[in-house]
Amino acid sequence: DTFPTAMHVATRLKLEPLFTALRALIEAFEHLSKEHQDTLKLGRTHLQDAVPITFGQEVSGWLTALKHNLDHLESAAKGLDYIALGGPAVRTDLNTPEGYAERVADELSEVTGHHFHTADNKFTSLSFQTQIATVHSALKNLAMDLHKIANDIRLLNSGPRAGIGEIKLPANEPGSSIMPGKVNPTQCEALT
């Protein structure tokens, strides 16, 4: 019963910084979408020019995707709040004092600062790792969407003379040693 509990506790606690970062990115995209709600640009399908849209509309797509990702992750994470500890001896709690599982959940909650509960059915909590798999799936979906957003930003920033060059990313480092003034989208590269 300790292994599935450790997996739930460790995964649940490691998600908190991700939630904080994701909320900050959502807030930044909300601001960017509003700021550019009237900034016209070409829309594209299959990298071909299409009907005009605003940059704010484009960012709103990224924003909504990240909001969905956050909702899915938070929902998936709730399953991790239920722990298997307290179901030894083939999940029967044989030879454990009465209330042991609840006391362990309370102690873990106090130590970690996150509220954990004993699982209602120890046979399920010890035999299935559906909650971990659900979180993993939500994380993979987030990674896929972040990869798409980073690629969009890289493409929009391409150039500046021979690419799309619709946006300019800030220069966060010197750039290229052989091409002075060149700025590489390193944050997008790191994300992808």
Side-chain angles (χ1 to χ4, degrees):
D1 58 344
T2 57
F3 285 105
T5 297
M7 289 167 49
H8 278 220
V9 171
T11 304
R12 186 65 183 89
L13 297 178
K14 287 292 186 180
L15 286 175
E16 288 307 317
L18 176 62
F19 290 154
T20 301
L22 197 47
R23 286 185 193 104
L25 185 56
I26 286 169
E27 187 177 310
F29 280 168
E30 284 173 339
H31 174 73
L32 195 61
S33 180
K34 288 175 188 166
E35 181 183 351
H36 292 283
Q37 65 185 358
D38 296 323
T39 306
L40 281 174
K41 67 177 290 298
L42 277 175
R44 287 188 186 78
T45 55
H46 307 280
L47 297 180
Q48 300 296 304
D49 296 348
V51 299
I53 61 172
T54 69
F55 185 56
Q57 288 172 313
E58 188 162 21
V59 173
S60 78
W62 306 337
L63 169 64
T64 301
L66 293 181
K67 284 181 176 180
H68 288 297
N69 280 297
L70 180 59
D71 288 345
H72 293 150
L73 267 171
E74 287 177 333
S75 178
K78 288 178 184 171
L80 300 175
D81 294 344
Y82 295 88
I83 58 171
L85 205 57
V90 198
R91 303 157 202 94
T92 63
D93 74 9
L94 184 69
N95 293 330
T96 57
E98 188 174 328
Y100 170 75
E102 291 78 11
R103 288 197 311 268
V104 168
D106 290 343
E107 183 69 22
L108 267 176
S109 298
E110 187 175 325
V111 168
T112 64
H114 182 81
H115 195 59
F116 289 100
H117 315 275
T118 187
D120 294 335
N121 187 307
K122 299 296 188 286
F123 291 93
T124 300
S125 64
L126 286 161
S127 301
F128 295 88
Q129 292 308 315
T130 308
Q131 292 81 11
I132 292 284
T134 302
V135 169
H136 182 256
S137 175
L139 287 170
K140 284 178 71 173
N141 288 337
L142 172 62
M144 180 178 65
D145 288 350
L146 287 170
H147 191 269
K148 188 254 191 264
I149 292 167
N151 281 332
D152 285 354
I153 291 171
R154 288 193 308 181
L155 188 61
L156 291 173
N157 184 67
S158 65
R161 289 177 297 282
I164 293 176
E166 289 183 342
I167 64 173
K168 289 189 189 271
L169 295 177
N172 292 318
E173 63 279 314
S176 173
S177 61
I178 62 169
M179 292 174 274
K182 183 174 186 280
V183 176
N184 295 320
T186 55
Q187 291 79 12
C188 295
E189 299 295 332
L191 180 58
T192 60

